[in-house]
Amino acid sequence: MKKILFTGGGSAGHVSVNTALIPEFLKNNWQVSYIGSHDGIEKDIITKKFSEVPYYSIASGKLRRYFSVKNFTDPFRVLIGTLQAYLKIKKIKPDVIFSKGGFVSVPVLLAAKMARVPVAIHESDVTPGLANKLAMPFATRIYTTFKETLQYVPEEKSACAGAIIREELFQGTRDKGIAFSGLDQTKPIILVMGGSLGAKGINTTVRNALDELTGHYSVIHLCGKGNVVENHNPDYIQYEFVSNELPDLIAASDLVISRAGSNSIFEFLALKKPMILIPLSREASRGDQILNANSFVQQGFALKLEEENLTTESLLTTVRQLRDQQWEMIEKMEAAPPSYTITQMAEEISQLAKNNGR
C-alpha cells in the first residue's frame, strides 16, 4: 500500500487543497496521514472531515515580520517540531509528502529532507508566503496557482497547476440554494463572503447599503462567527458560515462580493461567478490579496475595491459596474485556461512517489 503524508495549516486556505485531494488518495487505496499543529484550524477540519486519517500534532512557531518576544522562542519550537516530524516520518514511512503551506509545514518539510522523502508544495498566492519561501529548498516539486508566480520560484522544479477545486463545489444547484436560503428566486442574488472569520468593514458597509441593494437583489451574507445581527429585511439572509450548503448557495448566486484569498476567487472563477474583490489592506497583511485581486482584474475576471476606499456609495457604484460588465466577464472566464483536475494533481504527486523507488 502506498502512503502519503499531508501537511499545512494556520488558515482554511492552507487546508482546502488538502481536503480536496485526500478523498482521491483514499479512493485509490493509499494510506493517508496528516501532520499539523496542536491547536490550528487544520486539526479541527481534518479530524472532523476524515475520521479515517490519523492526525499527528507537532510544535510549530510563527516567523513574524514584526517585533515580538516570541520571535526569540519560536525558532526553538520549530526545532522541536522538526524532531517530532522526523520521528513521525520515520515511523509512517510515507512515499511522498504534500504541503499546502503555513508555518506548521516548515518543520515537516525540513524533516522530510532529512528523511529523504520527496515533497510537493502548492503555492496559492502570486508571491510565495514566508513559510513556503523557507520550505522551497526542501521541495522536490513546486506547483503554483498563478502563472505569474513562476518568476519567484526555481524554474527547474516548478509548474503552474492552477487552483485545485473541490469536486463538491461543482455539484451545487440553484434550486437547492434557493430552498435553503428561502430567498425570492425572481431576483438576482449577491453572495457576500468576508473570509472564514468574516470582515468587519465589509459586513458594516454591506448592511449600510442594504436598502439600495435589496431594491434590485437578494443578498446572502456569510458574515463570520459571532457577526450575525438582528435583521427583518426579507431579501437579506445571514449565516456565520456554511459548510455542506456552500456549493448550493454559490450556484444560486449571480454575483459575488469577496475578499481576495486565492482559493476562494479561483473557485468563483471555476464556477463563472463575476466578482467584486475587496482585498485585505497592506496594513492588515503582506499584500498577497492585493496582488491576487490585481491579477484577476487584469484578466477581466473581477473588479477591485480597495478597503481604504470602501464606503456605502463606492460599494453601490462598483455593484452597478459589475452588473453592466457581468456577461463580458463570464465570457473571459469561459476562455481562461483550465487548472489541473484533482485526478491530474493526484497523478503528479503519485509520480513523485514512483520516482522515489520505495
Side-chain angles (χ1 to χ4, degrees), residues 36 126 161 229 291 358:
V126 173
V229 299
L291 296 176
R358 286 174 178 259

Side-chain angles (χ1 to χ4, degrees), residues 259-321:
R259 285 295 194 199
S262 173
N263 294 309
S264 294
I265 66 176
F266 270 93
E267 288 173 352
F268 300 141
L269 170 61
L271 296 169
K272 312 297 185 291
K273 301 296 179 180
M275 62 195 98
I276 295 171
L277 300 180
I278 307 173
L280 279 167
S281 67
R282 293 191 183 277
E283 288 71 25
S285 70
R286 67 183 181 88
D288 50 300
Q289 288 199 8
I290 296 174
L291 296 176
N292 295 348
N294 288 345
S295 175
F296 266 42
V297 170
Q298 289 166 7
Q299 296 176 79
F301 304 152
L303 299 178
K304 183 181 74 169
L305 181 55
E306 299 280 3
E307 186 154 21
E308 295 86 344
N309 300 324
L310 179 60
T311 64
T312 302
E313 186 52 44
S314 67
L315 179 65
L316 293 171
T317 298
T318 311
V319 168
R320 287 191 287 268
Q321 292 173 349

Side-chain angles (χ1 to χ4, degrees), residues 9 14 26 37 69 110 116 132 205 207 222 225 235 254 276 295 298 326:
H14 287 133
L26 291 173
S37 62
V69 173
L110 176 56
R116 298 185 178 181
N132 268 350
T205 306
R207 287 167 179 151
L222 305 184
K225 189 173 182 180
D235 292 312
D254 299 280
I276 295 171
S295 175
Q298 289 166 7
Q326 61 178 312

Side-chain angles (χ1 to χ4, degrees), residues 34-289:
Y34 203 105
I35 292 182
S37 62
H38 288 284
D39 53 6
I41 192 173
E42 65 274 14
K43 183 175 184 178
D44 188 51
I45 293 173
I46 297 300
T47 56
K48 285 184 178 179
K49 194 173 182 68
F50 303 106
S51 59
E52 67 271 58
V53 174
Y55 181 94
Y56 303 103
S57 300
I58 64 169
S60 63
K62 182 177 180 180
L63 304 177
R64 300 163 185 82
R65 301 169 187 270
Y66 54 86
F67 176 79
S68 170
V69 173
K70 290 185 178 180
N71 286 341
F72 298 100
T73 59
D74 277 10
F76 295 100
R77 292 178 58 80
V78 173
L79 291 175
I80 293 170
T82 301
L83 176 59
Q84 292 171 330
Y86 179 78
L87 294 174
K88 289 296 181 187
I89 289 170
K90 295 299 287 184
K91 182 178 180 180
I92 298 168
K93 294 183 172 60
D95 297 282
V96 65
I97 294 174
F98 183 83
S99 171
K100 191 60 196 75
F103 289 107
V104 71
S105 69
V106 176
V108 179
L109 269 58
L110 176 56
K113 184 71 173 181
M114 295 163 57
R116 298 185 178 181
V117 179
V119 169
I121 288 177
H122 188 269
E123 171 55 54
S124 290
D125 295 313
V126 173
T127 58
L130 183 55
N132 268 350
K133 281 183 179 179
L134 292 171
M136 280 177 186
F138 313 129
T140 312
R141 192 75 170 148
I142 299 167
Y143 297 96
T144 69
T145 300
F146 291 90
K147 188 173 291 186
E148 299 97 307
T149 313
L150 292 173
Q151 63 186 299
Y152 303 107
V153 296
E155 180 181 0
E156 68 280 3
K157 60 179 181 180
S158 302
C160 179
I164 310 304
I165 308 297
R166 296 169 286 167
E167 290 288 352
E168 60 262 30
L169 283 181
F170 296 103
Q171 297 166 7
T173 69
R174 179 177 175 85
D175 287 345
K176 287 183 180 179
I178 294 294
F180 177 72
S181 66
L183 291 172
D184 180 356
Q185 61 181 324
T186 64
K187 284 186 175 182
I189 294 175
I190 296 177
L191 175 66
V192 181
M193 294 179 60
S196 56
L197 298 178
K200 183 178 179 181
I202 295 175
N203 290 350
T204 300
T205 306
V206 166
R207 287 167 179 151
N208 288 342
L210 271 183
D211 286 345
E212 176 70 21
L213 284 175
T214 55
H216 308 278
Y217 302 93
S218 292
V219 178
I220 298 172
H221 190 176
L222 305 184
C223 56
K225 189 173 182 180
N227 294 325
V228 171
V229 299
E230 185 177 357
N231 169 71
H232 302 288
N233 189 324
D235 292 312
Y236 174 65
I237 187 75
Q238 317 166 69
Y239 305 99
E240 289 187 342
F241 58 87
V242 293
S243 180
N244 295 335
E245 301 84 6
L246 183 61
D248 297 321
L249 293 182
I250 296 177
S253 302
D254 299 280
L255 307 175
V256 173
I257 298 171
S258 174
R259 285 295 194 199
S262 173
N263 294 309
S264 294
I265 66 176
F266 270 93
E267 288 173 352
F268 300 141
L269 170 61
L271 296 169
K272 312 297 185 291
K273 301 296 179 180
M275 62 195 98
I276 295 171
L277 300 180
I278 307 173
L280 279 167
S281 67
R282 293 191 183 277
E283 288 71 25
S285 70
R286 67 183 181 88
D288 50 300
Q289 288 199 8

Side-chain angles (χ1 to χ4, degrees), residues 335-356:
S339 297
Y340 284 18
T341 65
I342 289 175
T343 300
Q344 287 174 313
M345 190 76 250
E347 288 175 352
E348 290 263 341
I349 299 167
S350 300
Q351 190 60 48
L352 290 181
K354 290 178 183 177
N355 293 343
N356 192 37

